[in-house]
Structures are given as structure tokens and as C-alpha cells.
Amino acid sequence: SAVISQKPSRDICQRGTSLTIQCQVDSQVTMMFWYRQQPGQSLTLIATANQGSEATYESGFVIDKFPISRPNLTFSTLTVSNMSPEDSSIYLCSVADRGLTEAFFGQGTRLTVV
Amino acid sequence: AQSVSQHNHHVILSEAASLELGCNYSYGGTVNLFWYVQYPGQHLQLLLKYFSGDPLVKGIKGFEAEFIKSKFSFNLRKPSVQWSDTAEYFCAVNNDYKLSFGAGTTVTVRA
């Protein structure tokens, strides 16, 4: 198993600003993902964070809006840029082995944009 | 479009009642299937998973799920629920090394 620590756990931000969310894992992992969970909705994959290279984004998500870093096998950041109220959501970090036989999740970052 | 559908948005039941949550997926080919649970204030946890073999899978806390390939379904069951089973339940499919989630079902168990 993997223990994931996300920071911050919650934040209230002004529109137009940016927030960087950190994800720290207690062991080296192959795959890291970032999800968004909007109120009352399911988890939507934003991107796969690739160690040492650019993240792979899902349809509807772009690097300019959600830049991601992954400098090593235990750490990643997601930035939500130029925020608007529509970005209010829970952002989740997830890790998995290469075959994605099981995914582990952080407790999430609850973001409110005002 | 590829998708995961969960039939119930909110289920309310009494302790000792039986629970069944429906999940259907629209992917073709080989899929790996999961049920995750999120208890209030906690992170998502794996309940059970199916990769191959016996289509009846047993998970933690007395939960089980049955994979029916012909129906593209992976329904979750528990014969007798407890108050502590109050949580949100998500069905997920691993397709192309990405997890796609259903909308989730909120289960409320009344004592």
C-alpha cells in the first residue's frame, strides 16, 4: 500500500489567482494521477503525472490551466491557474503500480474560489 | 462514448437490510473492475477488484461483487449492512491504464 499526503487540505482563493497542490507519497511509485471531483459528481481524470517529463492530459484539460510537475517518484504538484469559481472542486492525487492493479488516493484538497 | 454507469444516486436502508448497487460499463475488450468506498471524512479505499478468474469476488467488510460479462455489469452486494457502511461507493474501470469512475452512490444506513 501507499500513504499519500496532500497539502493543503482545503483553501479559499480569490478568482484570478493560482494555487499549487502538493502530493507526497511514502514510497516510490510508478504512476501518479490527478483527479477532480466536482460537487455531486464523480472523479474525472485531469492528467497522468510523468516523472521527468511533461504530464499527459485528458481531453478538456490543458497544461496552461493545470501545470503539473513530477520531479521524482514520490512527489508531484498540480497548479490550478487563473482560478474561477468553476474551479471550485476537490482535487485528488492518486498513485498506482505499473499495471494499475490498485490505485491509492490522498484525502484531497477542497478548493473554493470566490 | 466509454462510460461507467451507477444506477442509484442515493440509497437509504436500515441496518441488517441487504444492499445491492448496480454498475455497468461500456468498454469492450478486457477490463479490470473495482469498487471503491469513501467513508465520511476519509480518503477513497479499495473494497474489491476483479481482474480474471472467478466472477464472484469477495472484498473487505463482507462485500462481494459479481462480474457478468454478457451484461457488462459488476454489481456490489452485502447481505446485511451496518450503520458503519454509510459511505459513498464508486465503481471504476481500468481501461488503457486509466481509471474511469461512475458517478457514485451515497448509501445511508439508518440504525
Side-chain angles (χ1 to χ4, degrees), chain A residues 31 33 35 37 42-43 45 58 98-103 105-107, chain B residues 34 36 41-44 46 49 51 90 94 97-99 101-103:
Chain A
M31 307 186 79
F33 306 92
Y35 288 85
Q37 186 177 18
S42 185
L43 286 77
L45 181 63
E58 297 300 304
R98 186 179 300 276
L100 224 176
T101 59
E102 183 172 349
F105 291 84
Q107 287 199 288
Chain B
F34 305 82
Y36 279 86
Q42 297 188 27
H43 61 278
L44 278 162
L46 181 68
K49 59 186 177 182
F51 278 64
F90 293 93
N94 172 5
Y97 299 103
K98 301 173 189 176
L99 279 183
F101 285 83

Side-chain angles (χ1 to χ4, degrees), chain B:
Chain B
Q2 299 173 337
S3 66
V4 182
S5 300
Q6 290 184 238
H7 306 160
N8 309 97
H9 181 64
H10 193 181
V11 173
I12 303 172
L13 59 168
S14 300
E15 277 193 311
S18 64
L19 172 70
E20 180 161 359
L21 303 181
C23 173
N24 286 90
Y25 61 94
S26 64
Y27 298 93
T30 302
V31 292
N32 300 325
L33 299 155
F34 305 82
W35 275 98
Y36 279 86
V37 61
Q38 188 169 28
Y39 298 104
Q42 297 188 27
H43 61 278
L44 278 162
Q45 302 171 40
L46 181 68
L47 267 181
L48 49 77
K49 59 186 177 182
Y50 173 79
F51 278 64
S52 63
D54 188 345
L56 185 61
V57 180
K58 295 192 183 299
I60 62 171
K61 304 189 180 186
F63 285 90
E64 64 178 31
E66 184 175 13
F67 170 56
I68 303 179
K69 187 175 181 179
S70 62
K71 296 184 178 180
F72 295 88
S73 70
F74 189 55
N75 293 352
L76 180 71
R77 297 193 292 253
K78 184 169 184 177
S80 176
V81 296
Q82 300 173 307
W83 175 81
S84 57
D85 292 321
T86 294
E88 188 150 17
Y89 293 80
F90 293 93
C91 181
V93 175
N94 172 5
N95 182 260
D96 196 23
Y97 299 103
K98 301 173 189 176
L99 279 183
S100 296
F101 285 83
T105 299
T106 301
V107 173
T108 302
V109 180
R110 293 180 170 160

